């Protein structure tokens, strides 16, 4: 059982890691704090009075014998997730992380059988990526069983962090991604551009390879998924321009230049005031083959407050883990009703969402 002393938060001194530690303490938990950097990890330990452990992800297995839940907050997860998942399976430790990187979801799903054998849960994506969108998708499909098409959209409500933006920059060479006829399908950057009726007003948005492109299929069974990222129209259309020079931007030199610019232009994370006031918003729609549809919206706290809250709630959920281990999506672990009556969240599901149109073909330029 994941009692208050055997949850470990790795990457405790990063922006989101610090918030997760604070959230855990606010919930009466006493997690172990951990990370690669001894001085930074020890500083968090001294500030909080929590036990500290210092290790690289490759050595995780030697530090988890008494740990029930590993909450992973140290990216880049495409590099750090696999050794930690392997360590968790070796030690019988449940694995959670806050990634939105599709390769990490693919990895966890590929380890489903091994995780079941080990009796543990592997559930990446228990923060802003992808709890709100996954729960919204699950609720929409519950309202329209047998839905085949899913559209989702999200609005940060503030500037994204350095980490999120650097991940997007590194993903430029891969282009866009949707799920079409049950299969992940590579598409161009700026593949679809549309207006989204968010709760606080209509905004332009562009298709984006968000984690739900992979996970929604496992959460809901939908065969077609596309996800949109809200941004000014001029930036949406610039994605098509970027697609034309994608090869150039994929070079090692240009990737170094772009990530350097991100580090210069964006803060590590938002200010306390922004985190408290800048909420996020979401929209989703499902359609069935007979033309029926259901749509819905969700408003929620800021990206980072939401991530810390949902990540710690997921760790607490594993105090009574599912009977069967394996790969879990956020909505399967937490339940589609997870956000119901939760302070700061409001979801509205409309039983008649209007007609459906084919959003799985590219926007004409």
């Amino acid at each position: 059982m994941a009692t208050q002393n055997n949850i470990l938060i790795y990457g405790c001194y990063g922006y989101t890691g610090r918030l997760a530690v604070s959230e855990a303490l606010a919930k009466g938990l006493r997690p172990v704090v951990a990370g690669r950097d001894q001085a930074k990890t020890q500083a968090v330990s001294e500030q909080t009075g929590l036990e500290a452990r210092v290790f690289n992800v490759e050595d995780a297995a030697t530090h988890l014998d008494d740990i029930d839940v590993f909450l992973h907050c140290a990216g880049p997860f495409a590099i750090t997730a696999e050794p930690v998942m392997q360590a968790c399976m070796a030690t019988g430790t449940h694995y959670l992380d806050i990634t939105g990187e599709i390769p990490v979801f693919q990895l966890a799903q590929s380890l489903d059988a091994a995780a079941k054998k080990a009796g543990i849960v592997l559930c990446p994506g228990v923060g802003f990526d992808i709890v709100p969108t996954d729960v919204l998708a699950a609720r929409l499909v519950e309202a329209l069983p047998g839905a085949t098409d899913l559209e989702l959209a999200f609005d940060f409500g503030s500037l994204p962090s350095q980490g999120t933006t650097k991940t997007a920059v590194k993903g430029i060479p891969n282009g866009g991604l949707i799920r079409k006829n049950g299969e992940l399908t590579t598409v161009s950057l700026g593949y679809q551009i549309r207006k989204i009726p968010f709760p606080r007003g209509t905004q332009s948005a562009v298709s984006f390879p968000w984690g739900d492109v992979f996970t929604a299929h496992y959460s809901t069974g939908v065969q077609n998924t596309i996800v949109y990222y809200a941004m000014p129209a001029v930036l949406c259309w610039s994605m098509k321009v970027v697609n034309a020079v994608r090869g150039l931007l994929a070079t090692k030199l240009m990737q170094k230049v772009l990530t350097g610019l991100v580090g210069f232009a964006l803060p590590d994370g938002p200010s306390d005031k922004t985190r408290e006031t800048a909420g996020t918003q979401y929209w989703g729609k499902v359609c069935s083959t007979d033309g029926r549809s259901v749509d819905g919206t969700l408003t929620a706290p800021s990206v980072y407050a939401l991530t810390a809250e949902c990540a710690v709630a997921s760790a607490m959920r594993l105090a009574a883990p599912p009977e069967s281990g394996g790969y879990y999506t956020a909505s399967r672990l937490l339940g589609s009703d997870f956000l119901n009556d939760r302070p700061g969240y409001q979801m509205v599901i409309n039983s008649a969402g209007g007609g459906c149109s084919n959003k799985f073909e590219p926007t004409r330029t």
Side-chain angles (χ1 to χ4, degrees):
M1 178 180 291
T3 57
Q4 56 181 327
N5 288 318
N6 47 14
I7 296 171
L8 182 144
I9 300 177
Y10 191 81
C12 65
Y13 47 79
Y15 186 87
T16 306
R18 293 195 304 271
L19 293 177
V21 171
S22 295
E23 175 70 11
L25 289 171
K27 289 293 187 289
L29 306 176
R30 301 289 296 175
V32 174
V33 294
R36 294 177 287 240
D37 187 293
Q38 182 166 358
K40 292 179 180 179
T41 303
Q42 194 60 41
V44 174
S45 174
E46 291 173 1
Q47 291 165 5
T48 59
L50 298 171
E51 178 190 347
R53 299 183 189 181
V54 180
F55 56 90
N56 293 322
V57 291
E58 294 79 9
D59 304 319
T62 60
H63 297 270
L64 302 182
D65 282 345
D66 60 339
I67 299 298
D68 290 321
V69 180
F70 190 112
L71 175 53
H72 192 9
C73 299
F77 296 96
I79 296 173
T80 64
E82 182 167 15
V84 177
M85 288 185 192
Q86 295 291 349
C88 285
M89 289 190 292
T91 58
T93 305
H94 299 299
Y95 173 92
L96 304 170
D97 72 32
I98 56 171
T99 192
E101 299 169 48
I102 287 177
V104 179
F105 294 117
Q106 291 174 306
L107 170 65
Q109 195 280 325
S110 75
L111 294 173
D112 178 62
K116 286 177 179 175
K117 185 175 181 180
I120 69 160
V121 166
L122 298 177
C123 185
V126 294
F128 173 71
D129 325 39
I130 59 169
V131 174
T133 42
D134 196 50
V135 169
L136 178 57
R139 288 286 303 279
L140 289 169
V141 174
E142 286 176 357
L144 184 62
T148 56
D149 295 2
L150 167 68
E151 294 179 84
L152 292 168
F154 65 92
D155 171 29
F156 273 101
S158 63
L159 290 173
S161 71
Q162 285 187 26
T164 298
T165 307
K166 287 179 179 179
T167 298
V169 167
K170 290 176 183 177
I172 286 174
N174 301 323
L177 198 69
I178 65 172
R179 187 178 288 277
K180 187 173 182 179
N181 299 325
E183 300 294 330
L184 293 181
T185 303
T186 301
V187 295
S188 62
L189 296 172
Y191 172 77
Q192 271 288 350
I193 298 169
R194 63 160 295 172
K195 298 287 188 180
I196 301 294
F198 286 112
R200 292 191 286 268
T202 299
Q203 292 181 231
S204 296
V206 63
S207 56
F208 194 76
W210 202 242
D212 299 86
V213 171
F214 180 81
T215 58
H217 178 69
Y218 293 93
S219 297
T220 68
V222 292
Q223 295 296 299
N224 302 297
T225 303
I226 188 167
V227 183
Y228 300 91
Y229 174 19
M231 60 174 68
V234 65
L235 295 181
C236 292
W237 287 98
S238 70
M239 295 282 281
K240 287 187 176 292
V241 177
V242 169
N243 190 70
V245 293
R246 202 168 84 200
L248 172 64
L249 298 180
T251 64
K252 188 176 293 186
L253 174 61
M254 286 304 298
Q255 283 284 303
K256 184 176 181 180
V257 169
L258 290 171
T259 54
L261 288 173
V262 169
F264 175 77
L266 292 174
D268 183 37
S271 66
D272 290 346
K273 182 178 180 181
T274 299
R275 194 175 67 245
E276 292 172 2
T277 60
T280 55
Q281 55 181 345
Y282 311 84
W283 170 88
K285 183 175 183 177
V286 290
C287 296
S288 59
T289 55
D290 60 5
R292 291 179 300 140
S293 68
V294 171
D295 63 23
T297 59
L298 169 67
T299 54
S302 71
V303 171
Y304 298 94
L306 183 157
T307 293
E309 178 185 355
C310 292
V312 171
S314 299
M316 295 173 69
R317 164 71 179 87
L318 289 170
E323 291 184 8
S324 174
Y327 167 62
Y328 278 74
T329 61
S331 66
R332 288 186 58 232
L333 177 65
L334 297 169
S336 63
D337 61 349
F338 171 65
L339 301 180
N340 291 7
D341 302 321
R342 207 170 183 87
Y345 297 81
Q346 184 175 11
M347 186 182 296
V348 176
I349 303 297
N350 301 309
S351 58
C356 295
S357 58
N358 185 3
K359 293 294 181 183
F360 296 89
E361 299 296 337
T363 304
R364 302 300 179 190
T365 58

